[in-house]
Amino acid sequence: MKGKVIKYPQENINTDLIIPARYLVDINPQFLAEHCMEDLDMEFHKNKNNLQATILVSGSNFGCGSSREQAPIALKATGIELIIAPSFARIFFRNAINIGLPILQFSDIDAFNSGDLLDIDFGKGVIENITTSKSYSFSKFPAFLQKIIKVHGLINFAREQIANSEEGS
Amino acid sequence: MDLTISEKIIRDHCEQKDLSAGDFVLVKIDKCLGNDITAPKAIEVFEEIVEGTERSVFDPSKIILTPDHFTPNKDIASAIQCKILKDFARKYHIQHYYEVGKVGIEHCLLPEQGLIAPSELIIGADSHTCTYGALGAFSTGVGSTDLGVAMALGECWLQVPETLRFKYTGQLNKWVSGKDLILYTIGKIGVDGATYKVMEFTGEIINNLSMANRFTMCNMAIEAGAKTGFIFPDKITEQYLKSVGISKFKTYENNNTKYHESIEIDCNTIEPQIALPHLPSNTKPISEVQDMHIEIDQAVIGSCTNGRIEDLRIAAKIMKDNKIHPSVRCIIIPGTPTIQFDALKEGLIEIFLKAGAIVSPPTCGPCLGGHMGILAPGERAISTTNRNFMGRMGHKDSEVYLSNPAIAATSALKGFIASPESM
Ligand code: SF4
């Protein structure tokens, strides 16, 4: 995939910042997207649109805090297609995989800046920063998680399991 | 080398018999839990999965629904969320659905209702599901999609975690509680110090710690990024389980285990701890914080961390025959209706009301900035809850300081963050 970067290099961006609890009274993705990241940066949407960014780059322990799936849902609904961070908090990690929002663990986030155009090859495990003409390799996802990502999330994964078990019975 | 206790529990809940840390496995779950924030989405997921099939829920006795966050319904939107839970519970005959009046904060409620036993594998669409590690269960927080899938299939995917062992030695100083030990530990290892791992709490201090304090410690394992906290079941666990109607349960031997790392913590030098804004790891000893003379607008005593009867007893002991500082709002939130009733019978509620505090019905309320005590810009709260992230209890320019119940109660009386020693 190809896309442009919006970067928030802070560490520990938590789920309360991604989507504050006061908006958890509704699960509509568009509603959540409107308020996504507003406690961190009121200008998030404006900045993202100006940059035409679809890749969020952030510091370590991204998504720490609560289990709210509204966090990756909100980000996805704003048009973010990939998150790159040195590490992710574990529930955010599984929520992102489960809803089919790709995330990528990569430690050298200094290699990317807001506005950079990246080309990511998940099969090969390579990120090319087209803006700086540099390439980086990352370790690929374990086979189990690739299976979930391949079917675009856990719902389809579960449906396939049900279909298989019903065929077998 | 033997497997860790978590590995053994996971092994006995999945088909793969030969496993080690790092493996991804599908496990059968014993119970799953959702609340008014996470279950509506899980229910949507569930319906999508079973659509066009003859499927129902995997087991109506193993699904637990607790509308506890924004209840009693704070507005129309939250009322609609709660109604989704109620309708779903009726449609699928969910046995453990709790209506307002019966509902309490999930992680206080479930153990009290006898729904958690040692060696069970439990998932909950709430990050503090790790609390039940205090009873020797392997229990961890997941997301709504996970819960939706679990309600349909009774299964969940997990990565087998490594285990960090913490050994607490020495003697506890006065006013030092489970809350202080866990805050101290998070301060030491950081908010991502245990990411993906199990925090196993051991040592002579833990062996003598009450169940309430054990729940508090395991509750905050997630604040260090951990998958769960864990304490080996012993006599204290047994006694507690007996009191909630559980007499038979499975346990495992623990010998020659391969830990990822062992960390020893000498408790002799630990004072009560305060976590300053805006991270639970931003801890300082109370003596230092008291010298900073931090004035507060609100004190909150409650939550799944410190909303148990033992916590209320400590707060009442300090507040008895005293008055809340005129410029402080003191909000007491019993974790469950049973706790509230016990507090009433023991005369604690009277002490709180006489002191000028207000007693809320059991709810998460202000802990997550939901309702019942939201902070204005520039306001400051001392709170026995577990998170002090920016904006957690209200406006993003408000501040939350985390403490044990004794300090929160003392600070409510004094008007600034203070040690009970100063009374
Ligand atoms: S009391 Fe606070 S931390 Fe506990 S479940 Fe409720 S919102 Fe979450």
Side-chain angles (χ1 to χ4, degrees):
Chain A
M1 70 164 282
K2 265 190 192 173
K4 284 191 172 171
V5 169
I6 181 166
K7 183 171 169 182
Y8 291 91
Q10 297 92 319
E11 293 181 354
N12 305 317
I13 291 185
N14 63 68
T15 53
D16 281 280
L17 288 176
I18 299 169
I19 183 77
R22 58 184 178 275
Y23 302 120
L24 299 182
V25 291
D26 196 328
I27 54 175
N28 178 338
Q30 283 320 317
F31 168 80
L32 296 168
E34 276 166 35
H35 300 288
C36 187
M37 306 284 264
E38 71 179 29
D39 280 0
L40 181 74
D41 177 7
M42 276 312 268
E43 309 273 272
F44 172 72
H45 286 278
K46 203 171 130 201
N47 292 337
K48 194 179 73 64
N49 292 343
N50 287 345
L51 293 164
Q52 293 176 320
T54 54
I55 300 174
L56 174 67
V57 173
S58 187
S60 63
N61 201 26
F62 185 85
C64 63
S66 86
S67 67
R68 63 189 70 155
E69 199 161 300
Q70 285 88 337
I73 290 172
L75 281 167
K76 197 179 175 189
T78 66
I80 293 292
E81 292 168 8
L82 172 71
I83 308 171
I84 302 177
S87 66
F88 292 87
R90 61 162 288 275
I91 306 181
F92 186 90
F93 180 98
R94 61 183 302 133
N95 285 343
I97 304 263
N98 286 348
I99 66 161
L101 170 65
I103 56 175
L104 204 157
Q105 295 199 12
F106 183 75
S107 46
D108 185 16
I109 60 162
D110 291 343
F112 316 121
N113 284 308
S114 284
D116 286 1
L117 179 64
L118 309 185
D119 187 357
I120 291 123
D121 186 329
F122 288 97
K124 290 197 185 124
V126 174
I127 309 174
E128 193 193 340
N129 188 337
I130 295 173
T131 309
T132 61
S133 313
K134 284 189 183 150
S135 286
Y136 309 87
S137 60
F138 61 90
S139 43
K140 284 186 274 175
F141 263 159
F144 183 89
L145 298 185
Q146 279 188 27
K147 263 194 262 172
I148 300 176
I149 294 172
K150 211 171 140 203
V151 296
H152 305 293
L154 197 65
I155 296 180
N156 291 340
F157 183 81
R159 282 186 70 90
E160 276 185 12
Q161 256 188 285
I162 291 179
N164 290 341
S165 75
E166 271 161 15
E167 251 166 48
S169 66
Chain B
M1 282 284 194
D2 206 0
L3 296 178
T4 64
I5 190 97
S6 305
E7 287 166 342
K8 286 179 190 168
I9 297 175
I10 293 172
R11 178 198 62 199
D12 290 350
H13 284 82
C14 75
E15 278 171 12
Q16 189 179 330
K17 286 306 152 207
D18 167 30
L19 50 77
S20 52
D23 291 354
F24 286 88
V25 290
L26 271 180
V27 291
K28 293 249 176 282
I29 54 154
D30 293 308
K31 308 254 166 56
C32 61
L33 159 76
N35 59 46
D36 48 327
I37 289 180
T38 57
K41 173 72 193 162
I43 290 167
E44 200 179 279
V45 167
F46 171 84
E47 297 290 4
E48 194 177 334
I49 292 170
V50 300
E51 199 193 322
T53 73
E54 299 287 292
R55 294 260 172 160
S56 178
V57 295
F58 84 108
D59 187 339
S61 70
K62 294 183 172 173
I63 295 169
I64 304 163
L65 295 174
T66 53
D68 56 353
H69 278 61
F70 295 148
T71 51
N73 299 336
K74 73 161 178 142
D75 55 17
I76 294 169
S78 53
I80 293 170
Q81 300 267 90
C82 289
K83 189 168 181 300
I84 295 173
L85 270 67
K86 185 177 192 153
D87 292 346
F88 178 80
R90 283 216 185 126
K91 181 171 171 193
Y92 293 100
H93 310 287
I94 304 300
Q95 284 176 22
H96 303 292
Y97 163 76
Y98 293 88
E99 194 44 270
V100 166
K102 270 78 70 185
V103 79
I105 303 170
E106 50 206 72
H107 311 306
C108 297
L109 186 74
L110 270 52
E112 170 197 289
Q113 295 291 313
L115 294 175
I116 312 288
S119 310
E120 286 188 337
L121 202 153
I122 291 152
I123 61 160
D126 187 276
S127 60
H128 293 98
T129 304
C130 55
T131 310
Y132 316 132
L135 287 171
F138 182 88
S139 78
T140 190
V142 297
S144 294
T145 299
D146 286 305
L147 176 63
V149 170
M151 292 195 300
L153 301 179
E155 284 182 349
C156 182
W157 66 268
L158 287 179
Q159 185 173 24
V160 182
E162 293 172 321
T163 296
L164 290 177
R165 184 178 66 161
F166 294 84
K167 192 173 171 196
Y168 296 85
T169 60
Q171 297 234 307
L172 286 188
N173 289 312
K174 199 167 176 206
W175 302 112
V176 172
S177 66
K179 180 65 162 283
D180 305 292
L181 296 181
I182 190 65
L183 283 176
Y184 180 86
T185 306
I186 297 165
K188 201 173 150 89
I189 67 171
V191 286
D192 57 356
T195 300
Y196 307 133
K197 299 188 177 64
V198 174
M199 293 173 87
E200 209 175 273
F201 303 117
T202 66
E204 65 217 65
I205 296 282
I206 304 297
N207 297 341
N208 293 311
L209 212 57
S210 70
M211 265 326 297
N213 278 303
R214 291 179 183 190
F215 282 127
T216 305
M217 287 191 75
C218 289
N219 175 271
M220 287 193 72
I222 178 72
E223 262 45 81
K227 187 163 245 163
T228 190
F230 189 89
I231 294 175
F232 286 94
D234 60 9
K235 285 263 167 289
I236 293 174
T237 327
E238 243 172 71
Q239 233 172 31
Y240 177 88
L241 288 166
K242 221 172 138 194
S243 76
V244 298
I246 299 175
S247 51
K248 268 207 241 139
F249 50 86
K250 183 173 178 175
T251 52
Y252 292 91
E253 288 290 315
N254 178 44
N255 34 31
N256 194 24
T257 299
K258 188 171 165 282
Y259 289 106
H260 177 72
E261 202 183 333
S262 288
I263 298 161
E264 193 162 322
I265 293 179
D266 173 10
C267 296
N268 289 317
T269 56
I270 299 181
E271 279 183 50
Q273 302 284 308
I274 307 290
L276 282 75
H278 292 287
L279 279 180
S281 57
N282 194 11
T283 54
K284 283 194 197 314
I286 182 65
S287 56
E288 236 176 86
V289 179
Q290 186 167 303
D291 289 346
M292 293 159 76
H293 200 89
I294 300 167
E295 287 181 8
I296 54 159
D297 303 281
Q298 179 163 303
V300 174
I301 299 172
S303 84
C304 58
T305 314
N306 282 118
R308 298 184 179 77
I309 189 71
E310 293 83 349
D311 301 309
L312 301 188
R313 282 185 197 132
I314 292 170
K317 205 166 141 188
I318 288 170
M319 287 187 196
K320 192 169 174 13
D321 301 327
N322 282 310
K323 287 272 179 252
I324 305 292
H325 189 275
S327 59
V328 174
R329 309 181 289 268
C330 180
I331 304 167
I332 316 260
I333 312 171
T336 68
T338 306
I339 295 168
Q340 189 164 30
F341 195 45
D342 287 346
L344 181 75
K345 282 188 289 187
E346 292 180 23
L348 312 184
I349 305 271
E350 192 177 331
I351 294 173
F352 296 140
L353 294 179
K354 272 189 179 157
I358 188 161
V359 181
S360 151
T363 179
C364 293
C367 171
L368 81 160
H371 62 152
M372 304 294 272
I374 304 303
L375 301 174
E379 283 197 321
R380 245 183 243 132
I382 183 114
S383 176
T384 68
T385 51
N386 46 45
R387 289 194 176 131
N388 55 353
F389 299 152
M390 194 182 281
R392 174 76 179 175
M393 200 175 276
H395 194 271
K396 71 178 171 50
D397 297 330
S398 60
E399 292 184 343
V400 178
Y401 295 72
L402 305 176
S403 78
N404 71 26
I407 291 177
T410 310
S411 309
L413 300 174
K414 298 247 173 191
F416 63 95
I417 299 177
S419 162
E421 284 297 287
S422 67
M423 291 294 292

